[in-house]
Amino acid sequence: MTVTTIIGLEVHVQLQTESKIFCGCSAAFNPTHPNVQTCPVCLGLPGSLPVMNRKAFELAVKTALAINCNIAPYTKWDRKQYYYPDLPKGYQISQYDLPFSDDGAVEIELNAETGEKRKVGIIRAHLEEDAGKNMHDESGRGTDSQVDLNRAGTPLLEIVSQPDLRSPAEARHYLEELKLLLTYLKVSDCNMQEGSLRCDANVNLHILQDDGHKIATPIVEVKNLNSFRNVELALEYEVKRQYEEWQKTGRKLGDVPKETRGWDAARGVTFAQRGKEEASDYRYFPDPDLVPVTVSEEFLESIRTTLGEFPADRRKRLIADCGLSAYDARVIVDQGAPFADYFEEVAGLCGDAKQACNWVTQDVLREMNERHLTIDHFPIRAAVLANLLQRIHAKQITTKSAREVFLELLVENPSRRPIASSHIDQIIAEKDLALVTDSGELERAVGDVIGRNPKAVADFKAGKQAAVGALIGQVMKAVKGADPQAVRTMLVEKLSGK
Ligand SMILES: [Zn+2]
């Protein structure tokens, strides 16, 4: 028996506009002051008229172009009727049969080592307005529910994928790649905690039985997944549940209506919510208050010029131009554009991309994570790090000492804020880290150590190369700041009688 998991995702992205999609109210996230970012339009008061936000449409087209969608030359708005307390108009303005874009694709890498990729088809991307937010009293008595309409009317882009994903891990990977692309495009902040990126997942199983019979399990839509981890966990649970349900009941696709389920992250289970509405339940019809949008070739061209470099292209460039491994290129690019910019600046200034890569992906990333900082707030700027790395290159300090300087720069010290390259000199002087280049001093120390250690010398001469290690340590102790490599060379030369 072979079981294939079939997953398609519907991703809702809040576009980063100043104002809402059909009125001038602020679209900023503001949960602390409910219902202050509202007006007759987004409250749905009779007689108010919506006007499309051009910026929202531009950001939507920019995204659709980046995911290789066709852009329709003519698109319109439709009313999707349903009643819910967070939707006072009684309908949501959305796009039904003529979405502004369709038929795209996003490529994800399944395996960094083999380079195996999967092309995930995009059925369509359309624009709509968000609803408000209901807040239910969760104290247990359940008597108090409140509605906040600050979010009502913020612009949402819905991106619907083909059912091309084959595992929960792939679904997560697709979502991560899509999020990265959206942040590179600067069309959304993609803040999942604030609900700027939400996901519904459609999932079922195709089961090929040993007797050659093929069946599909009923499709389930898991709603409102708000983190990568929850997407993966909910899908893993649902794959297992559907298989067990099929074994128990034998129910196949078509035997029951499509089901909508929620995800209870605390209990780690999906739960039945309601039967899924059909499109006809929504009684879609064209919104008579909004004019259709025609898209010219000039408009499209002007948007194309703003696309910039995509994450996948940047990875390729870092591999080709900087000599990075595919793994390192992914680590750097996946941290976001500002981090990749930081790396490129350090690499350019210090002249050694591989060294810059080691420091940025290990030391900088580790300290950022420990201090919960983004790269924009990391106190050692690219120019200062590059300056530090140049000193290793120039043999002024060892790599080990450079790490000491790096950590010392990060110590909270008002006299070293903002951190400048001159502070590197201060620390090298304070900690006596400068490499000793005076070969006279080194030579004296090496001679002393050899004189004091006849046994180690005899061992070395008898062929025990390891004996030199103990001697290096003693010389380093005597001459603080000596370059261990130079000490080793000098010791071996002397011991070999050269
Ligand atoms: Zn408004």
Side-chain angles (χ1 to χ4, degrees):
M1 188 162 62
T2 322
V3 182
T4 310
T5 304
I6 310 291
I7 298 168
L9 297 186
E10 291 173 18
V11 177
H12 287 91
V13 186
Q14 193 187 324
L15 297 173
Q16 213 164 8
T17 53
E18 294 284 321
S19 54
K20 294 184 180 181
I21 185 168
F22 298 119
C23 63
C25 294
S26 167
F29 179 68
N30 181 5
T32 46
H33 297 87
N35 297 311
V36 293
Q37 290 156 207
T38 56
C39 73
V41 173
C42 55
L43 289 174
L45 300 186
S48 63
L49 285 173
V51 178
M52 185 190 80
N53 179 342
R54 189 186 166 90
K55 184 75 188 170
F57 194 78
E58 286 174 3
L59 295 180
V61 168
K62 186 176 179 182
T63 311
L65 287 172
I67 55 175
N68 308 295
C69 281
N70 297 322
I71 309 296
Y74 174 92
T75 186
K76 68 175 173 69
W77 305 97
D78 300 284
R79 291 185 178 182
K80 181 180 179 180
Q81 331 280 331
Y82 66 96
Y83 176 74
Y84 213 57
D86 62 13
L87 188 71
K89 288 204 296 286
Y91 63 87
Q92 177 191 26
I93 303 175
S94 181
Q95 298 200 284
Y96 179 48
D97 54 338
L98 291 175
F100 80 91
S101 77
D102 69 356
D103 194 18
V106 172
E107 200 172 58
I108 56 170
E109 198 177 65
L110 298 181
N111 186 325
E113 276 165 30
T114 62
E116 189 191 354
K117 293 185 171 68
R118 175 160 342 268
K119 205 169 175 181
V120 182
I122 303 296
I123 299 173
R124 59 187 270 162
H126 70 253
L127 256 174
E128 59 189 28
E129 59 177 345
D130 206 348
K133 208 172 160 66
N134 293 328
M135 287 161 300
H136 304 293
D137 179 12
E138 283 168 6
S139 66
R141 289 184 293 279
T143 53
D144 180 11
S145 281
Q146 297 177 322
V147 181
D148 176 10
L149 295 172
N150 280 348
R151 203 181 67 181
T154 52
L156 275 190
L157 180 66
E158 179 170 341
I159 302 171
V160 184
S161 89
Q162 296 278 4
D164 285 344
L165 297 156
R166 290 293 168 266
S167 71
E170 259 179 44
R172 177 191 180 133
H173 194 41
Y174 161 78
L175 201 55
E176 285 173 341
E177 188 68 20
L178 189 60
K179 178 186 171 186
L180 188 67
L181 179 63
L182 295 164
T183 52
Y184 266 74
L185 292 170
K186 298 193 179 80
V187 296
S188 172
D189 63 14
C190 293
N191 187 325
M192 294 181 93
Q193 287 85 39
E194 295 179 3
S196 301
L197 186 71
R198 316 193 285 270
C199 173
D200 303 335
N202 285 284
V203 55
N204 75 333
L205 307 176
H206 286 185
I207 302 171
L208 175 63
Q209 292 164 274
D210 294 335
D211 61 6
H213 260 84
K214 276 188 215 168
I215 69 108
T217 58
I219 298 173
V220 163
E221 182 174 7
V222 188
K223 296 290 270 185
N224 269 324
L225 297 164
N226 60 0
S227 77
F228 294 135
R229 191 175 151 72
N230 282 336
V231 168
E232 196 171 358
L233 290 175
L235 285 169
E236 277 170 5
Y237 176 85
E238 195 53 29
V239 166
K240 199 163 154 276
R241 190 196 66 80
Q242 288 190 18
Y243 184 72
E244 288 169 1
E245 178 87 9
W246 169 72
Q247 282 191 316
K248 215 161 56 192
T249 66
R251 271 194 212 128
K252 310 183 296 294
L253 184 66
D255 292 348
V256 286
K258 185 173 165 181
E259 189 184 19
T260 301
R261 295 179 76 88
W263 168 243
D264 183 336
R267 286 166 54 222
V269 297
T270 63
F271 57 92
Q273 282 185 318
R274 55 182 160 88
K276 173 79 181 164
E277 290 86 352
E278 298 294 324
S280 59
D281 294 332
Y282 290 121
R283 293 146 36 242
Y284 280 101
F285 73 88
D287 193 304
D289 291 341
L290 282 159
V291 286
V293 184
T294 51
V295 176
S296 69
E297 201 39 59
E298 295 76 54
F299 172 77
L300 281 184
E301 206 38 55
S302 72
I303 300 292
R304 272 195 199 100
T305 60
T306 67
L307 285 173
E309 189 180 32
F310 299 156
D313 296 327
R314 192 159 194 177
R315 286 188 201 109
K316 281 183 206 149
R317 184 167 61 77
L318 293 186
I319 294 167
D321 295 1
C322 300
L324 299 193
S325 68
Y327 175 83
D328 284 335
R330 175 166 285 279
V331 169
I332 288 173
V333 170
D334 288 11
Q335 289 293 321
F339 188 85
D341 292 345
Y342 180 94
F343 159 73
E344 289 201 51
E345 195 181 340
V346 175
L349 290 171
C350 83
D352 185 339
K354 284 193 178 161
Q355 187 188 36
C357 171
N358 285 339
W359 279 76
V360 168
T361 57
Q362 291 166 31
D363 304 77
V364 174
L365 203 51
R366 180 193 64 233
E367 295 302 321
M368 269 170 60
N369 291 338
E370 274 179 18
R371 290 153 205 268
H372 305 289
L373 291 173
T374 62
I375 192 68
D376 295 327
H377 293 101
F378 192 67
I380 302 178
R381 301 313 305 150
V384 176
L385 180 59
N387 184 289
L388 181 62
L389 302 192
Q390 278 172 330
R391 291 165 195 255
I392 303 173
H393 217 71
K395 295 207 180 301
Q396 291 172 19
I397 50 173
T398 62
T399 301
K400 188 162 166 274
S401 301
R403 291 224 149 78
E404 212 175 320
V405 173
F406 178 80
L407 291 175
E408 184 64 27
L409 285 171
L410 289 172
V411 170
E412 210 46 64
N413 180 345
S415 71
R416 287 195 187 126
R417 290 290 185 277
I419 296 168
S421 296
S422 60
H423 298 133
I424 296 174
D425 295 307
Q426 277 180 22
I427 295 169
I428 289 174
E430 282 163 22
K431 298 193 164 248
D432 201 11
L433 295 172
L435 276 176
V436 172
T437 45
D438 173 1
S439 59
E441 189 185 349
L442 205 54
E443 230 162 298
R444 275 194 299 282
V446 166
D448 284 352
V449 167
I450 288 176
R452 284 204 309 267
N453 291 277
K455 174 152 188 337
V457 173
D459 284 350
F460 180 83
K461 289 194 168 157
K464 284 189 191 158
Q465 295 277 328
V468 82
L471 302 181
I472 293 174
Q474 290 186 35
V475 176
M476 298 286 295
K477 216 178 221 173
V479 187
K480 215 178 168 230
D483 177 5
Q485 201 50 48
V487 172
R488 168 180 285 275
T489 310
M490 197 178 277
L491 271 168
V492 171
E493 274 174 11
K494 295 239 178 221
L495 291 170
S496 312
K498 280 179 194 163

